[in-house]
C-alpha cells in the first residue's frame, strides 16, 4: 500500500495530524496497534490548553468540546491549611483552559476521520520503520496475522513512549534524557459531582492530591502513591478516606463519594528524545517526550508538536518548501523543554519526597512566596495555560 504520510498511532497526536493533513488535501494512513474500542476506552488527560482548543476548532473537531467542555478561569493550590486561587484569565490577559477528557477528544477525532473516509487501520501494529533516510520510507506492519508494507513519502511516529518509531532509530543517533519520579498517581473516576468548581492541587505531608473532573457529574481524583502500590490494595472507601486526609477540612467536608468507574496507577517520568527528525521520519507526542501529569502538559505537548509538523508538511506539499521540515525538531524542542521544566518544577513543588522535612518546609516557603507575589502567580498561570506557539511559516 502507498500513501503520502504514514502515521503510526491513533492517539491525539496521530489523529490530529491526520485530520489537519486531510483538511489540506494531504493523504495519510494511520496504523494503530490496539482496537478502536481499546483506544476509545483509555482514561488519560483532562485539561486542554488554549492552543489545543484553538487547533481543535481550526480543524473542525470542536462541536462537542464547545458544547460539553468546561472553560476554567483558574485553579487552586492547597497547602499548609490554606487554599489560594490562581486566576489564570486575569493574570494572562484572558487565557483559560478547557476541561474536556482526552477520551472524548479521541472519540471526536476518530469520528471525524472515519466520516471523512480516513484510512485508520486498527489492530494493525507497526513492527518496524525501514529506509526512513530514503525518499520511500516503509512501515512494516501486521494485519490479520499477515506482514504488510506501507510505502510513504514521510513517516510520523505518533506511537507513544513504548512505540516502534523511536526504537527504529539506531541508539547512536538519539540523545535521551530521563528522570523517573519515586512515586506514582493513583487515580479514580466516579460519577459524582466534583468537590469544587475548579481543579485543586494539594501539597500535604501525607502526599500530593488532585481534585479534577470530566463534567459537572463526573469527577477525576488522584492521590500520590508509592511505586510498589497496587490498585488491588485500595478499596473505594480507602481511596476516599485518603483523599479527604489530604484536602483542606472545608473541602474534605464537601466531598461526595461513590463507586469507582475506573481506578489505575500511572508512573511519573520526565523524558525527552533528541532530535525529533531522522530523514523522513518525524517523532511527535509521547514518542518524543513524556512529562509527569502534574502540569497537564502531556496531551497538550502532543498537540503542539502536531501544530509544527502539520505546517511543515503543508508547506512541503503545497509550495514545495522544505525549510519547515528542517526546522521542525528545533522549534518543537524549544517549547518541549519549557514544558518539561514546568512539569518537573510543579511536581517537585507539590509532591512528598522521602521524609525530608527540610524539603517540605522549602516547598511551603516557595508556595507562600509564589502566591503572595503577582509575579509568582503570573508565572504559574502563564505556564499552566500553555506558552505560545512560535511563528512557524
Ligand atoms: P498516545 O500514547 O496517546 O498514543 C500512541 C498510540 O500509538 C496508542 O494508541 C498506541 O496504542 C499506539 N501504538 C503504540 N505502539 C504502536 C505500534 N507499534 N504500532 C501501531 N500503534 C502503536 N497527560 C495529561 O496531560 N494529563 C494526564 O492526566 C495524563 N494522564 C495520563 C495517564 C496515563 C496512564 C498515561 C499513559 C498518560 C497520561 N497522560 C496525561 C499523557 C497522555 O495524555 C499523553 O501525553 C497523550 O496520550 C500523548 O498522545 P500521543 O502522543 O498521541 O500518544
Ligand atoms: C485530569 O483531569 O486527569 C488531570 C487534570 C490536571 C492534571 C492532571 C490530570 O494536571
Amino acid at each position: 500500500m502507498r500513501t503520502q504520510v504514514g502515521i503510526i498511532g491513533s492517539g491525539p497526536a496521530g489523529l490530529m495530524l491526520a485530520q489537519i493533513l486531510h483538511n489540506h488535501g494531504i493523504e495519510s494512513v494511520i496504523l494503530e496497534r490496539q482496537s478502536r474500542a481499546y483506544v476509545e476506552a483509555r482514561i488519560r488527560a483532562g485539561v486542554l490548553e488554549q492552543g489545543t482548543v484553538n487547533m481543535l476548532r481550526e480543524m473542525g473537531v470542536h462541536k462537542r468540546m464547545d458544547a460539553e467542555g468546561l472553560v476554567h478561569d483558574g485553579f487552586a493550590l492547597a497547602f499548609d491549611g490554606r487554599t489560594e486561587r490562581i486566576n489564570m484569565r486575569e493574570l494572562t490577559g484572558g487565557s483559560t483552559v478547557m476541561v474536556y477528557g482526552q477520551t472524548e477528544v479521541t472519540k471526536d477525532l476518530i469520528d471525524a476521520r472515519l466520516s471523512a473516509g480516513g484510512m485508520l487501520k486498527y489492530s494493525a501494529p507497526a513492527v518496524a520503520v525501514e529506509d526512513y533516510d530514503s525518499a520511500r520510507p516503509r512501515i512494516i506492519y501486521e494485519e490479520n496475522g499477515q506482514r504488510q508494507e506501507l510505502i510513504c513519502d514521510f513517516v510520523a511516529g505518533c506511537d507513544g513512549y513504548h512505540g516502534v518509531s523511536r526504537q527504529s532509530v539506531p541508539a547512536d543517533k538519539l540523545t535521551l534524557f530521563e528522570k523517573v519520579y519515586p512515586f506514582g498517581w493513583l487515580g479514580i473516576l466516579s460519577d459524582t459531582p466534583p468537590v469544587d468548581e475548579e481543579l485543586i492541587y494539594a501539597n500535604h505531608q501525607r502526599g500530593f492530591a488532585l481534585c479534577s473532573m470530566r463534567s459537572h457529574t463526573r469527577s477525576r481524583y488522584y492521590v500520590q502513591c508509592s511505586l510498589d502500590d497496587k490498585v488491588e490494595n485500595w478499596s473505594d472507601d480507602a481511596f476516599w478516606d485518603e483523599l479527604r486526609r489530604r484536602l483542606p477540612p472545608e473541602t474534605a467536608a464537601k466531598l461526595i463519594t461513590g463507586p469507582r468507574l475506573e481506578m489505575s496507577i500511572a508512573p511519573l517520568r520526565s523524558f525527552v528524545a533528541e532530535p525529533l527528525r531522522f530523514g523522513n521520519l518525524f517523532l511527535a507526542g509521547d514518542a518524543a517526550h513524556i512529562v509527569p501529569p502534574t502540569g497537564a502538559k502531556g496531551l497538550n505537548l502532543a498537540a503542539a508538536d502536531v501544530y509544527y509538523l502539520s505546517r511543515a508538511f503543508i508547506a512541503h506539499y503545497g509550495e514545495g518548501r522544505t525549510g519547515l521540515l528542517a526546522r521542525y525538531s528545533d522549534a518543537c524542542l524549544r517549547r518541549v523543554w519549557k514544558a518539561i521544566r514546568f512539569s518537573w518544577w510543579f511536581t517537585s513543588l507539590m509532591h512528598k519526597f522521602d521524609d525530608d522535612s527540610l524539603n517540605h518546609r522549602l516547598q511551603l516557603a516557595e508556595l507562600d512566596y509564589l502566591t503572595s507575589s503577582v509575579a509568582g502567580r503570573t508565572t504559574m498561570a502563564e505556564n499552566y495555560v500553555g506558552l505560545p506557539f512560535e511563528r512557524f511559516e
Side-chain angles (χ1 to χ4, degrees), residues 43 51 90 196 201 217-218 233 253 273:
I43 308 293
E90 187 183 280
D196 206 307
Y201 291 81
T217 58
R218 179 164 288 190
N233 297 342

Side-chain angles (χ1 to χ4, degrees), residues 7-15 31-34 38-39 42-47 102 106 124-128 141 157-165 185 210 214 220 222 264-267 284-303:
I7 299 173
I8 307 176
S10 86
L15 289 164
L31 300 172
E32 166 57 50
R33 174 170 63 188
Q34 306 288 358
Y38 181 96
V39 171
R42 271 190 308 227
I43 308 293
R44 283 189 170 170
V47 172
Q102 176 174 331
T106 303
V127 294
Y141 67 100
C158 302
D159 45 352
Y161 181 70
H162 301 289
V164 71
S165 53
W185 278 18
L210 170 60
R214 291 293 178 271
R220 179 71 168 165
Y222 298 93
S264 54
I265 291 180
D286 276 17
H289 39 70
I290 297 283
V291 282
T294 322
K297 294 294 165 222
L299 166 57
N300 295 295
L301 274 183

Side-chain angles (χ1 to χ4, degrees), residues 45-341:
V47 172
L48 305 182
E49 292 176 357
Q50 192 69 54
T52 306
V53 169
N54 296 344
M55 282 179 67
L56 288 167
R57 287 179 181 149
E58 275 162 35
M59 67 177 89
V61 185
H62 59 283
K63 286 199 177 51
R64 204 158 68 94
M65 173 188 71
D66 283 334
E68 298 174 17
L70 306 173
V71 175
H72 280 200
D73 291 357
F75 63 92
L77 297 170
F79 61 96
D80 206 19
R82 292 161 55 181
T83 300
E84 297 285 349
R85 181 172 185 261
I86 303 292
N87 185 335
M88 297 181 286
R89 182 187 287 274
E90 187 183 280
L91 290 161
T92 62
S95 291
T96 58
V97 295
M98 173 81 79
V99 172
Y100 186 65
Q102 176 174 331
T103 311
E104 308 317 316
V105 173
T106 303
K107 285 177 186 166
D108 296 344
L109 285 162
I110 290 173
D111 287 346
R113 294 306 307 122
L114 294 177
S115 56
M119 277 288 272
L120 282 75
K121 288 181 170 294
Y122 286 98
S123 306
V127 294
V129 177
E130 295 182 357
D131 302 333
Y132 55 75
D133 266 332
S134 78
R136 284 163 53 91
R138 293 173 298 123
I139 305 174
I140 313 302
Y141 67 100
E142 286 172 358
E143 191 170 32
N144 306 322
Q146 301 290 319
R147 280 250 162 162
Q148 307 287 349
E149 192 174 81
L150 175 64
I151 299 168
C152 19
D153 300 333
F154 300 102
V155 177
C158 302
D159 45 352
Y161 181 70
H162 301 289
V164 71
S165 53
R166 195 181 68 245
Q167 322 283 350
S168 297
V169 177
D172 63 351
K173 296 270 190 283
L174 278 161
T175 304
L176 305 180
F177 303 86
E178 186 149 35
K179 176 185 183 58
V180 177
Y181 296 85
F183 39 73
W185 278 18
L186 171 67
I188 196 169
L189 189 71
S190 59
D191 272 341
T192 55
V195 71
D196 206 307
E197 297 273 301
E198 297 175 332
L199 274 61
I200 303 172
Y201 291 81
N203 170 305
H204 190 276
Q205 276 184 307
R206 294 180 64 89
F208 169 78
L210 170 60
C211 302
S212 184
M213 62 195 77
R214 291 293 178 271
S215 69
H216 292 308
T217 58
R218 179 164 288 190
S219 298
R220 179 71 168 165
Y221 295 104
Y222 298 93
V223 294
Q224 174 184 347
C225 64
S226 67
L227 276 179
D228 55 7
D229 213 337
K230 298 202 177 351
V231 169
E232 45 270 28
N233 297 342
W234 292 83
S235 66
D236 294 356
D237 288 345
F239 182 93
W240 297 123
D241 290 345
E242 187 57 39
L243 178 63
R244 281 194 194 90
R245 292 187 194 104
R246 300 186 188 188
L247 295 177
E250 68 281 7
T251 306
K254 294 189 295 180
L255 184 67
I256 296 174
T257 65
R260 76 183 75 175
L261 298 174
E262 184 263 3
M263 186 181 275
S264 54
I265 291 180
L268 273 65
R269 78 177 72 241
S270 298
F271 169 81
V272 181
E274 289 187 352
L276 305 187
R277 177 189 187 182
F278 307 89
N280 288 322
L281 166 62
F282 295 81
L283 303 181
D286 276 17
H289 39 70
I290 297 283
V291 282
T294 322
K297 294 294 165 222
L299 166 57
N300 295 295
L301 274 183
D305 292 351
V306 168
Y307 169 86
Y308 293 112
L309 188 54
S310 59
R311 277 158 175 71
F313 284 142
I314 292 162
H316 167 80
Y317 283 109
E319 303 157 41
R321 288 191 298 120
T322 58
L324 296 189
L325 290 169
R327 287 170 45 202
Y328 167 72
S329 182
D330 289 347
C332 270
L333 286 169
R334 271 193 291 278
R335 194 173 183 280
V336 163
W337 275 108
K338 294 188 184 91
I340 291 276
R341 181 216 62 90

